[in-house]
């Protein structure tokens, strides 16, 4: 069992205080806020860890209390410029808590099973009624298998990422509510001479159509540009790395 307490202090980002940006083509605008205050937090964590043979797992629960929490919020829709506006603001009192789970297990000499899941919730507790934080991502889990050849010269990675539906209570009325989705990624890796490694991947192998919640924050459900913020369909990536 593990337990931890940490006190935190975060100064406002320079860009949030001094810099504004407008992207007319993308349909958004960020507004500077020179009045931002530093963020102060008290963070508590309690966990369990276990390992035996080729299997290990851990469960961690946490609760964080913030004063002057810095939140990137939708500031409204600017009809003159036809853009959604965003700005970092301070929320007087915020509570964020959650549970995270991780598992690794060897299935024989060549196969490794990996799993992880996170449930996180957050509320602005400043007023008499708690208000859900729009910046908290939906619950998410990953299940993966890795195969490594006896020679350790090549291997395969396969994973499925599960994302829950977006909670409608965390989305202002009229905004797009992203649906849950599952994304399958397949990656092969090869050790090459001269300490090089080649990776080739087929991402979103099932060609799932989906939106990441942070890509569409502030977007209206009837926004004609909404599809511009969807995630890529089936695609291939490759990389070559050199270690020295």
């Amino acid at each position: 069992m593990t337990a931890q307490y940490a006190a935190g202090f975060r100064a406002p980002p320079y860009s949030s205080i001094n810099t504004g940006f407008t992207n007319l083509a993308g349909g958004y605008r960020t507004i500077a806020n020179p009045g931002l205050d530093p963020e102060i937090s008290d963070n508590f964590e309690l966990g369990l860890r276990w390992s035996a043979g080729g299997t290990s797992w851990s469960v961690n629960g946490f609760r964080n209390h913030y004063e002057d929490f810095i939140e990137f919020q939708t500031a409204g829709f600017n009809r003159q410029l036809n853009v959604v506006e965003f700005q970092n603001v301070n929320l007087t009192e915020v509570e964020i808590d959650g549970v995270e789970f991780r598992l690794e297990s060897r299935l024989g000499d060549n196969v490794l099973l990996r799993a992880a899941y996170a449930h996180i919730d957050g509320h602005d507790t400043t007023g008499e009624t708690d208000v859900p934080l729009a910046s908290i991502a939906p619950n998410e889990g990953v299940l993966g298998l890795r195969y490594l050849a006896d020679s350790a010269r090549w291997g395969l990675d396969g994973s499925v990422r599960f994302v829950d539906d977006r909670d409608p209570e965390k989305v202002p009325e009229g905004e797009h509510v992203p649906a849950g989705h599952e994304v399958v990624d397949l990656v092969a890796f090869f050790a090459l001479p001269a300490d090089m490694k080649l990776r080739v991947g087929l991402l979103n192998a099932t060609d799932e159509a989906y939106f990441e919640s942070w890509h569409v924050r502030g977007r209206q459900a009837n926004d004609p540009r909404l599809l511009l913020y969807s995630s890529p369909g089936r695609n291939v990536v490759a990389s070559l790395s050199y270690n020295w």
Side-chain angles (χ1 to χ4, degrees):
M1 179 178 288
T2 62
Q4 178 175 285
Y5 164 78
F9 174 90
R10 182 166 77 104
Y14 174 85
S15 58
S16 301
I17 295 175
N18 297 289
T19 306
F21 177 75
T22 301
N23 185 335
L24 295 177
Y28 67 89
R29 180 190 187 196
T30 60
I31 305 171
N33 185 354
L36 276 178
D37 292 323
E39 178 183 283
I40 299 173
S41 63
D42 293 296
N43 311 293
F44 304 88
E45 183 176 319
L46 186 65
L48 291 173
R49 297 176 184 175
W50 179 85
S51 180
T55 299
S56 63
W57 59 262
S58 66
V59 178
N60 291 289
F62 63 89
R63 168 159 288 183
N64 303 332
H65 173 76
Y66 296 86
E67 296 180 9
D68 293 321
F69 182 78
I70 299 173
E71 169 85 340
F72 191 57
Q73 287 193 342
T74 305
F77 186 80
N78 187 319
R79 297 188 179 278
Q80 183 176 1
L81 297 177
N82 197 32
V83 296
V84 179
E85 295 183 328
F86 297 91
Q87 185 180 44
N88 277 294
V89 300
N90 285 119
L91 304 180
T92 305
E93 301 281 343
V94 163
E95 296 279 352
I96 297 178
D97 51 44
V99 177
E100 297 175 334
F101 169 78
R102 293 183 180 275
L103 167 72
E104 284 195 358
S105 182
R106 291 203 168 275
L107 308 179
D109 296 332
N110 303 91
V111 180
L112 177 68
L113 170 68
R114 297 175 292 111
Y117 182 77
H119 170 88
I120 302 175
D121 207 3
H123 291 82
D124 178 0
T125 59
T126 304
E128 295 182 359
T129 303
D130 293 351
V131 179
L133 290 180
S135 58
I136 300 297
N139 302 329
E140 182 174 326
V142 177
L143 182 64
L145 284 174
R146 165 173 283 199
Y147 174 83
L148 183 63
D150 291 332
S151 64
R153 302 293 299 174
W154 66 275
L156 298 170
D157 265 325
S159 66
V160 184
R161 181 167 63 97
F162 306 89
V163 180
D164 286 349
D165 293 335
R166 182 69 168 168
D167 186 349
E169 293 185 358
K170 297 180 180 179
V171 180
E173 185 177 354
E175 288 189 9
H176 176 66
V177 181
H181 53 270
E182 300 81 37
V183 181
V184 179
D185 294 332
L186 304 172
V187 178
F189 51 92
F190 307 89
L192 302 178
D195 295 321
M196 292 190 295
K197 180 176 284 188
L198 173 66
R199 288 180 174 272
V200 180
L202 178 63
L203 306 185
N204 192 5
T206 58
D207 203 24
E208 179 84 359
Y210 66 99
F211 293 90
E212 299 286 7
S213 63
W214 56 86
H215 287 167
V216 290
R217 278 188 61 192
R219 293 288 163 192
Q220 296 296 302
N222 59 357
D223 188 339
R225 292 174 293 198
L226 190 62
L227 285 178
L228 295 176
Y229 296 89
S230 63
S231 294
R234 185 184 297 113
N235 62 99
V236 177
V237 298
S239 67
L240 182 66
S241 61
Y242 171 70
N243 296 319
W244 68 91

